């Protein structure tokens, strides 16, 4: 799993990332950094919690939409598909009060529309009681986005499991 946690030396988990900038600016900065990383690194199988930054913005996903960042998301998805890299659906944001899973529904639907098939599910568990948290919700989310299976990896070999 490849994931972006540090943007210009700051992790969104720590509030200083949002000092002196709006959520929209911080999100755009993070998505641009993710795109830059995708342009330079491709030796991983799945991009984890693509919109992780949204968990930590002061307004979280209140005003967050796919459309605001369409150009960045489109290029990210193109690179993922070109390189055979999948997307992780991450349920961890629910514990932070988000309305949806990561990535947001519109991003995942667009990935599927473009031909994306590799999708894993993770809970971002840092405590035993959070392992597989909200996985039933992830199943419904995947179906709604056009998927009929999810992916697991063993030694970097993908297997597809029917939902």
């Amino acid at each position: 799993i490849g994931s972006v946690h540090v943007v210009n030396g700051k992790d969104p988990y720590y509030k200083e990332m949002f000092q002196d900038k709006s959520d929209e600016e911080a999100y755009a900065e993070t998505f641009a950094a993710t795109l830059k990383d995708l342009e330079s690194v491709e030796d991983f199988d799945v991009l984890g919690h693509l919109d992780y930054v949204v968990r930590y913005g002061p307004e979280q996903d209140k005003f967050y939409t796919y459309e605001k960042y369409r150009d960045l998301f489109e290029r990210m998805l193109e690179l993922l598909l070109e390189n055979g890299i999948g997307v992780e659906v991450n349920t961890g944001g629910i514990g932070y009060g988000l309305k949806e899973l990561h990535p947001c529904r519109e991003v995942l639907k667009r990935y599927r529309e473009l031909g994306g098939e590799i999708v894993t599910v993770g809970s971002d568990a840092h405590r035993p009681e959070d392992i597989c948290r909200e996985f039933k919700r992830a199943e419904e989310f995947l179906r709604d986005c056009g998927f009929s299976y999810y992916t697991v990896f063993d030694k970097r070999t993908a297997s597809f499991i029917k939902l």
Side-chain angles (χ1 to χ4, degrees):
I1 296 176
S3 59
V4 175
H5 285 265
V6 178
V7 178
N8 297 325
K10 296 180 181 174
D11 186 330
Y13 178 80
Y14 301 101
K15 296 300 178 192
E16 57 267 5
M17 168 105 184
F18 297 93
Q19 290 175 345
D20 303 321
K21 64 180 80 155
S22 67
D23 283 7
E24 189 171 336
E25 291 167 327
Y27 297 173
E29 180 181 16
T30 301
F31 299 145
T34 301
L35 178 56
K36 185 176 178 182
D37 289 347
L38 289 173
E39 290 170 340
S40 60
V41 179
E42 58 189 62
D43 188 24
F44 60 98
D45 301 310
V46 176
L47 179 61
H49 51 50
L50 186 152
D51 50 9
Y52 160 84
V53 65
V54 176
R55 288 183 192 178
Y56 304 109
E59 298 291 331
Q60 292 186 308
D61 57 359
K62 188 174 182 181
F63 303 108
Y64 166 64
T65 65
Y66 169 82
E67 285 301 317
K68 285 184 182 179
Y69 312 97
R70 174 185 281 277
D71 292 343
L72 292 165
F73 285 140
E74 286 292 317
R75 184 65 185 132
M76 279 189 250
L77 295 176
E78 287 172 12
L79 285 170
L80 292 172
L81 291 167
E82 285 172 17
N83 293 309
I85 297 170
V87 173
E88 176 207 32
V89 169
N90 189 292
T91 63
I94 298 304
Y96 289 86
L98 298 184
K99 295 177 281 191
E100 291 194 324
L101 310 179
H102 297 288
C104 69
R105 185 176 314 273
E106 290 83 10
V107 170
L108 194 61
K109 280 186 174 184
R110 183 66 178 141
Y111 172 72
R112 185 70 190 113
E113 287 172 5
L114 293 170
E117 298 178 329
I118 300 170
V119 62
T120 63
V121 180
S123 57
D124 216 356
H126 293 260
R127 304 174 309 168
E129 59 267 24
D130 291 334
I131 295 171
C132 298
R133 181 179 184 186
E134 300 286 349
F135 272 27
K136 183 65 179 164
R137 186 170 175 171
E139 179 180 349
E140 295 165 9
F141 188 72
L142 285 169
R143 287 184 195 282
D144 183 57
C145 291
F147 291 89
S148 56
Y149 51 84
Y150 65 98
T151 312
V152 296
F153 284 87
D154 182 21
K155 297 181 181 134
R156 300 195 72 185
T157 300
S159 297
F160 297 91
I161 312 293
K162 191 167 178 58
L163 291 170

